[in-house]
Amino acid sequence: MLLELNDVSKSFGGVAALTGVSFGVKQGEVFGVIGPNGAGKTTLLDCLLGDKLVTSGQVSIQGLPVTSSKLDYSRSYLPQENVIVQKLKVKELIRLFGNMTALETVLTGMHCRTGSGFLSSFLKTKRQRIEEERCRGIAYEFLKLVGLEADAEEVATSLPYGKQRRLEIARALATHPQLILLDEPAAGMNDSETEVLRQLIGKIRDLGITVVVIEHAMELMMNICDRLVVLNFGKKIAEGTPQEIQNNEAVIEAYLGKEEV
């Protein structure tokens, strides 16, 4: 398993937000986390990144425990293996763009992977110029992957909302992550934008990148996820394929309520 949770619990002042949650995510799959409002999904995601330390249990990536108490939301490095995790969240997107073009935005994601040093960058050596041209070409390919190649020179903040979401995903992909965590990626999108997002997540999976999605849009989740886990009141109530989840009585009751006799 690339990502594993083993009996994870998290409490705030004696109030349990998560209780004994366990599951594993395989390399290269799209794994979904769903549940009604207040089910503990956001707390779970924060625990995955180490932004909130678990009260008990363990979160691990490639067998290495996530122990940092403050990992950066947009680009987090786990020591030892240099595994990159990307978390994308609606409220954190716009502040990343500034007045940069779409291409420049993707280039910021590639900064950690460039080969030239500070002195080369400062002096604008031939090596640095070659490196910059190489990076621009790669960044353009990421824009093409998310369908934004025609917007490469557009100011990022001038793009429609749906395109801004895809641009942020392109920036995340530019870091060459093994795992991407998507927190409500379809929030605020219309039907056509959501369909584009669905296709894009499929492309990311085809690249061999593992994707964990937390989302309220059930139709999207049932169409993109290989497997899902369902939370309710901080506890895991089901895990399985989309079809298994759709037919699970506990899941139906959590979303629709128990039918009165």
Side-chain angles (χ1 to χ4, degrees):
M1 294 290 181
L2 176 66
L3 169 66
E4 290 187 273
L5 280 77
N6 183 22
D7 200 24
V8 167
S9 296
K10 177 64 181 177
S11 298
F12 298 95
V15 178
L18 296 173
T19 304
V21 177
S22 298
F23 62 82
V25 180
K26 302 174 185 177
Q27 175 71 49
E29 73 174 339
V30 177
F31 189 90
V33 180
I34 62 175
N37 289 332
K41 300 186 297 298
T42 298
T43 299
L44 176 66
L45 187 58
D46 289 339
C47 289
L48 292 182
L49 280 184
D51 184 59
K52 288 183 173 65
L53 296 181
V54 301
T55 303
S56 62
Q58 181 173 284
V59 178
S60 60
I61 297 179
Q62 288 189 332
L64 302 172
V66 176
T67 56
S68 172
S69 61
K70 194 63 178 178
L71 294 177
D72 183 87
Y73 272 106
S74 60
R75 189 176 64 218
S76 303
Y77 295 89
L78 301 180
Q80 297 110 336
E81 294 292 332
N82 195 34
V83 176
I84 299 178
V85 180
Q86 292 294 336
K87 176 185 177 183
L88 308 181
K89 195 164 185 175
V90 178
K91 65 182 180 182
E92 295 164 347
L93 296 180
I94 307 303
R95 66 186 178 91
L96 296 176
F97 299 138
N99 292 317
M100 291 186 291
T101 66
L103 185 65
E104 290 168 340
T105 299
V106 178
L107 283 168
T108 64
M110 298 179 62
H111 175 70
C112 64
R113 298 297 187 183
T114 54
S116 57
F118 171 77
L119 185 60
S120 295
S121 300
F122 181 76
L123 297 176
K124 291 292 182 181
T125 62
K126 180 179 179 180
R127 176 186 175 185
Q128 173 64 15
R129 292 193 298 271
I130 294 174
E131 179 79 354
E132 286 182 356
E133 191 61 31
R134 182 185 71 86
C135 288
R136 288 180 68 86
I138 296 174
Y140 182 82
E141 289 303 313
F142 282 117
L143 286 176
K144 187 175 180 179
L145 177 69
V146 302
L148 296 178
E149 65 272 24
D151 301 296
E153 299 304 325
E154 296 293 327
V155 175
T157 51
S158 70
L159 296 175
Y161 178 75
K163 286 188 175 183
Q164 289 188 10
R165 303 304 306 276
R166 282 186 278 149
L167 176 58
E168 177 59 9
I169 292 176
R171 188 201 65 84
L173 292 173
T175 67
H176 299 287
Q178 296 188 41
L179 170 63
I180 292 182
L181 307 179
L182 300 179
D183 189 5
E184 299 184 22
M189 288 187 175
N190 58 37
D191 290 345
S192 62
E193 291 171 334
T194 301
E195 173 57 21
V196 171
L197 174 66
R198 184 192 68 78
Q199 295 177 19
L200 176 56
I201 292 175
K203 292 178 182 179
I204 295 173
R205 176 178 53 194
D206 291 343
L207 293 174
I209 299 172
T210 306
V211 184
V212 175
V213 187
I214 294 179
E215 180 57 68
H216 288 290
M218 292 295 293
E219 183 176 356
L220 172 66
M221 294 295 274
M222 294 303 162
N223 283 314
I224 65 170
C225 294
D226 299 303
R227 293 187 302 124
L228 303 99
V229 67
V230 186
L231 300 180
N232 195 27
F233 296 111
K235 297 180 180 180
K236 185 180 84 171
I237 62 171
E239 180 179 351
T241 65
Q243 184 175 1
E244 290 169 339
I245 294 301
Q246 287 177 313
N247 296 325
N248 187 289
E249 291 296 329
V251 175
I252 295 172
E253 182 177 327
Y255 276 93
L256 301 179
K258 189 173 184 179
E259 184 178 354
E260 296 183 5
V261 180

